[in-house]
Amino acid sequence: MNNTFKTVACSDISISELMLPSHTNFSGKIHGGYILSLLDQIAFACASKFCGNYCVTASVDTVNFLKPIEVGELVTMKASVNYVGKSSMIIGIRVEAENIQTGHIKHCNSSYFTMVSKDKDGSNARVPGLVLSNLQEVRRFTNCLKQISLKKEKDRHEENFNYSSIEALANLEKYNVRIELG
């Protein structure tokens, strides 16, 4: 059993970066792929800071792009550990963009990354336990439990569901697809 515990606050980290024209997509907004790269960097930094080990991205569980980010806006990403397992952590990240001329701040993205702690040999390493200090931290931890449960349920469904059954194929008729199996 792990005897070391750390507070969520021990994992808190934020980064800010000015969005440049070189970060844009073809519509002139900041490219989602660029934001994903920054998200992965802060998830790594947050997880590594919390556990004291090198960490790898195991999955990107949710990325919700809520509002576009414009050139010239100051993007701030805030991350913290929301959940810990034995060697894994779920990192919650909030992305805000500030118009530096008006001071207006908008919530642009929420993301959840599962990171795994590694030892010097590349094996999974134990992470500290998590001290939940307020109801918001309890809510975030509980939401992660639900997320993990849904992921396990999806995996079980994938293992057991018969996609070739007559019922499964007939059920697809209500969607915008045409089935042409060879």
Side-chain angles (χ1 to χ4, degrees):
M1 184 74 182
N2 187 2
N3 292 330
T4 304
F5 286 83
K6 289 186 175 181
T7 64
V8 172
C10 288
S11 72
D12 288 349
I13 190 167
S14 66
I15 60 171
S16 295
E17 185 172 329
L18 184 65
M19 294 296 105
L20 304 175
S22 60
H23 302 141
T24 60
N25 59 24
F26 292 109
S27 70
K29 307 297 183 194
I30 300 304
H31 193 284
Y34 183 71
I35 297 301
L36 284 170
S37 174
L38 293 176
L39 289 167
D40 194 45
Q41 289 176 40
I42 195 170
F44 167 81
C46 178
S48 295
K49 177 184 177 187
F50 181 77
C51 72
N53 290 322
Y54 178 78
C55 293
V56 297
T57 305
S59 69
V60 180
D61 301 313
T62 305
V63 179
N64 293 319
F65 292 100
L66 306 172
K67 293 183 180 156
I69 300 171
E70 307 290 338
V71 171
E73 290 184 322
L74 182 65
V75 168
T76 300
M77 297 185 176
K78 301 171 186 174
S80 64
V81 172
N82 288 356
Y83 167 87
V84 295
K86 291 183 184 121
S87 61
S88 66
M89 298 155 278
I90 296 178
I91 310 300
I93 308 165
R94 180 181 173 95
V95 179
E96 297 174 337
E98 178 180 1
N99 180 315
I100 56 176
Q101 295 168 334
T102 67
H104 180 271
I105 297 172
K106 60 186 175 183
H107 178 202
C108 297
N109 184 299
S110 290
S111 303
Y112 301 91
F113 280 57
T114 299
M115 306 297 289
V116 176
S117 175
K118 297 291 184 176
D119 65 17
K120 292 177 181 136
D121 300 321
S123 298
N124 290 358
R126 260 201 182 281
V127 298
L130 191 60
V131 176
L132 304 176
S133 304
N134 58 55
L135 288 178
Q136 182 171 326
E137 293 171 0
V138 170
R139 178 185 60 79
R140 289 176 177 164
F141 187 89
T142 303
N143 285 344
C144 289
L145 293 174
K146 178 71 171 171
Q147 183 179 340
I148 292 165
S149 174
L150 289 171
K151 195 185 291 189
K152 287 179 181 177
E153 184 179 321
K154 181 180 178 272
D155 291 345
R156 280 191 300 275
H157 178 268
E158 186 67 27
E159 290 173 8
N160 299 322
F161 190 75
N162 181 358
Y163 291 94
S164 63
S165 73
I166 293 171
E167 296 84 15
L169 294 171
N171 189 44
L172 296 178
E173 291 176 5
K174 61 185 173 188
Y175 297 97
N176 190 22
V177 298
R178 182 172 62 216
I179 299 172
E180 296 180 355
L181 300 176

